[in-house]
C-alpha cells in the first residue's frame, strides 16, 4: 500500500454524527445521495462491501470489505482496484496491470462539533494507500468524492430540516 492519500473535510450543520453515520450505511440514503450507485453491506467487520457502479446495474463483489466500524464515529472499508472499464485510461497494458495491484482504503470519520446547543458534524473522508500522486484511481476518486460528499451533506441537512418542520 502506498503513502499517498486523498483527504476531504466538510462541516454538516444541524446534524448529529449518528444521523450522518446512518446515511452512510442505510441503503435508501445511499441510493439517494449516490444517485443509485454506491456500496451495500451488512456493515460488520470483515463483511463484504458490494459495489454498484451503474444505477441500472447490479451490486458486484469487487473485493471490498469492512475493516472497522463504530456507530456514530466511523466507517472504514477497503476500496476496489482498477476495473476492466478503466483499461482505456492507460497508455499501455503494462501500466494497466500495475495499476490493478494498487490497494486503498476508505474511511469516513464523524466528529461531533455541536456548539451552544446547535448540533453539527465534521465529516472527514480519508482515502489512503495510493501508490503515487499520478495514480489513475486517485485522479478518479478526487473529483468523485468531492461530488458525493457534497451530495451527502445536502441530503442529511435536508432530512434534518424536514424533520424539524414535521
Amino acid at each position: 500500500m502506498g503513502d499517498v492519500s486523498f483527504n476531504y473535510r466538510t462541516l454538516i450543520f444541524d446534524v448529529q454524527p449518528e444521523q450522518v453515520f446512518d446515511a452512510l450505511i442505510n441503503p435508501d440514503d445511499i441510493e439517494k445521495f449516490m444517485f443509485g450507485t454506491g456500496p451495500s453491506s451488512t456493515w460488520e467487520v470483515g463483511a463484504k462491501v458490494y459495489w454498484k457502479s451503474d444505477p441500472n446495474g447490479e451490486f458486484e463483489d469487487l473485493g471490498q470489505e469492512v475493516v472497522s466500524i463504530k456507530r456514530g464515529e466511523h466507517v472504514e472499508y477497503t476500496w476496489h482496484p482498477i476495473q476492466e472499464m478503466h483499461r482505456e485510461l492507460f497508455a499501455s497494458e503494462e501500466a494497466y496491470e500495475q495499476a490493478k495491484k494498487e490497494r486503498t482504503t476508505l474511511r469516513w470519520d464523524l466528529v461531533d462539533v455541536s456548539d451552544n446547543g446547535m448540533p453539527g458534524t465534521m465529516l472527514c473522508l480519508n482515502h489512503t494507500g495510493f501508490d503515487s500522486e499520478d495514480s489513475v484511481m486517485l485522479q478518479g476518486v478526487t473529483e468523485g468524492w468531492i461530488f458525493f460528499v457534497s451530495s451527502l451533506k445536502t441530503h442529511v441537512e435536508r432530512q434534518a430540516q424536514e424533520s424539524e418542520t414535521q
Side-chain angles (χ1 to χ4, degrees):
M1 196 182 304
D3 294 334
V4 178
S5 63
F6 172 75
N7 304 292
Y8 189 76
R9 285 151 182 55
T10 191
L11 184 60
I12 301 176
F13 297 98
D14 272 339
V15 181
Q16 294 287 354
E18 292 78 12
Q19 294 166 283
V20 180
F21 178 89
D22 289 342
L24 287 170
I25 66 167
N26 179 295
D28 293 334
D29 288 314
I30 293 168
E31 184 173 3
K32 289 176 184 163
F33 81 83
M34 294 192 94
F35 304 95
T37 67
S40 176
S41 180
T42 60
W43 301 110
E44 300 165 342
V45 172
K48 287 184 178 278
V49 178
Y50 299 94
W51 196 262
K52 188 175 181 185
S53 301
D54 180 339
N56 298 316
E58 301 293 325
F59 285 98
E60 299 176 83
D61 180 356
L62 301 178
Q64 297 173 255
E65 72 175 46
V66 177
V67 174
S68 180
I69 187 164
K70 186 168 184 184
R71 178 156 178 70
E73 292 186 19
H74 71 268
V75 178
E76 181 178 11
Y77 50 94
T78 58
W79 191 246
H80 63 78
I82 289 288
Q83 300 297 304
E84 179 66 31
M85 68 178 155
H86 303 119
R87 183 183 294 267
E88 66 191 37
L89 301 174
F90 296 89
S92 70
E93 187 65 23
E94 182 180 337
Y96 170 70
E97 290 300 324
Q98 183 62 34
K100 286 180 10 181
K101 296 175 184 175
E102 183 176 60
R103 295 294 181 265
T104 62
T105 302
L106 177 66
R107 182 176 172 113
W108 304 86
D109 284 298
L110 310 166
V111 179
D112 188 342
V113 293
S114 300
D115 187 29
N116 296 324
M118 180 179 172
T121 301
M122 178 64 70
L123 173 65
C124 307
L125 179 143
N126 301 297
H127 196 149
T128 60
F130 298 99
D131 292 339
S132 75
E133 294 286 339
D134 297 325
S135 164
V136 169
M137 182 67 81
L138 174 60
Q139 293 169 14
V141 301
T142 297
E143 290 182 16
W145 285 133
I146 293 170
F147 176 79
F148 285 122
V149 169
S150 297
S151 180
L152 169 63
K153 174 181 167 60
T154 300
H155 175 71
V156 295
E157 286 177 342
R158 185 175 294 136
Q159 280 183 325
Q161 290 172 348
E162 289 171 358
S163 68
E164 286 177 8
T165 60
Q166 294 178 357

